[in-house]
Amino acid sequence: MTTINEMKDALKETLESRGVLSQLRARIRAEIFNALNEDPEDKPKLSMENMIINDLIREYMEYNHYSQTTSVFSSEAGMPQEMLDRGFITKKLKIVEDNNSKQTPLLYGLVFGMKKVINNQEVQNEPLTGPKYRNVYPESGQVVESNNEFEFQGGRRNISDQIFK
C-alpha cells in the first residue's frame, strides 16, 4: 500500500511542478461551465469589437501565465480556439509596433500609450477632452457623463472610460 501512495504522491507532485495539474483543473472548470451553459440562445454572436477586446485580454493573460483564468474566460466568452492575427488587430486599432513592443501584449502598449498621451496633455496644460466618468443606470439604460466622480447617485460607473484620473 505504501508504494501505491508514494507513487500517487510522486505523480501528483510531478504534474503540479510541470503545470499540468492546474491546466487540467482549468479545463475541467471550463467544460463544467460549457455543460451548464449549452443553450446557444444564451450567448449572442461576438461582434468584431468584442472579439478584438477579448483577444487583447486573452493575450495579456497568456503572457502572464494565467492559464486557468484564460481557459475559463475563453470558454465563458464563447471565443474561438484560434486568436485573431496580431497584425489584423494592430491594423484595426492603428497601432504601430517596434521590435520591443512586439515582445509584449498589445494591451500593455495601449495602456502605456494612453498614459503617455494623457501625461503629455497635462504637461502642456491642455484640458483632457470629454467627461472623466460615465455612469450607466441599468434599469433605464440612461448614460450620464460627468467630470465629478461623486456626482452620481446609484447606477454603475464605467471605469473603462476613465483609466487615468
Side-chain angles (χ1 to χ4, degrees):
M1 265 311 198
T2 306
T3 56
I4 291 176
N5 287 336
E6 289 172 353
M7 195 165 88
K8 283 181 185 179
D9 291 341
L11 180 61
K12 182 180 176 185
E13 187 176 310
T14 301
L15 292 175
E16 282 179 346
S17 68
R18 292 182 182 173
V20 174
L21 200 54
S22 62
Q23 289 174 350
L24 289 172
R25 287 181 182 135
R27 186 70 191 154
I28 290 170
R29 285 186 197 109
E31 289 301 325
I32 290 170
F33 180 83
N34 285 338
L36 295 174
N37 296 307
E38 281 189 348
D39 191 3
E41 294 179 21
D42 287 347
K43 290 184 186 173
K45 187 174 186 226
L46 287 176
S47 68
M48 183 54 66
E49 181 181 67
N50 280 355
M51 286 182 67
I52 289 172
I53 292 168
N54 288 349
D55 266 357
L56 289 170
I57 295 167
R58 179 166 50 179
E59 180 190 35
Y60 163 82
M61 289 192 295
E62 286 178 357
Y63 178 82
N64 287 289
H65 306 288
Y66 302 150
S67 58
Q68 295 178 32
T69 306
T70 304
S71 176
V72 174
F73 171 71
S74 297
S75 176
E76 186 173 354
M79 298 168 63
Q81 281 297 109
E82 293 291 317
M83 290 180 69
L84 294 173
D85 180 63
R86 186 177 172 113
F88 171 79
I89 295 174
T90 58
K91 189 174 183 178
K92 281 288 194 188
L93 299 178
K94 298 179 180 164
I95 297 172
V96 178
E97 291 191 285
D98 60 17
N99 287 335
N100 290 333
S101 66
K102 289 180 182 179
Q103 306 303 314
T104 58
L106 289 170
L107 195 53
Y108 281 117
L110 291 170
V111 170
F112 291 123
M114 287 301 299
K115 188 173 181 178
K116 187 175 179 181
V117 167
I118 289 171
N119 287 340
N120 208 18
Q121 285 180 344
E122 289 173 353
V123 167
Q124 296 173 6
N125 292 324
E126 294 179 13
L128 297 176
T129 58
K132 289 184 176 182
Y133 302 97
R134 174 179 288 171
N135 201 38
V136 180
Y137 294 90
E139 301 81 32
S140 65
Q142 179 185 13
V143 177
V144 178
E145 297 177 335
S146 171
N147 286 318
N148 183 350
E149 176 180 15
F150 302 104
E151 185 173 320
F152 300 120
Q153 300 295 319
R156 180 178 76 222
R157 189 176 71 204
N158 189 342
I159 300 298
S160 66
D161 287 344
Q162 176 55 28
I163 295 173
F164 306 101
K165 294 186 201 176

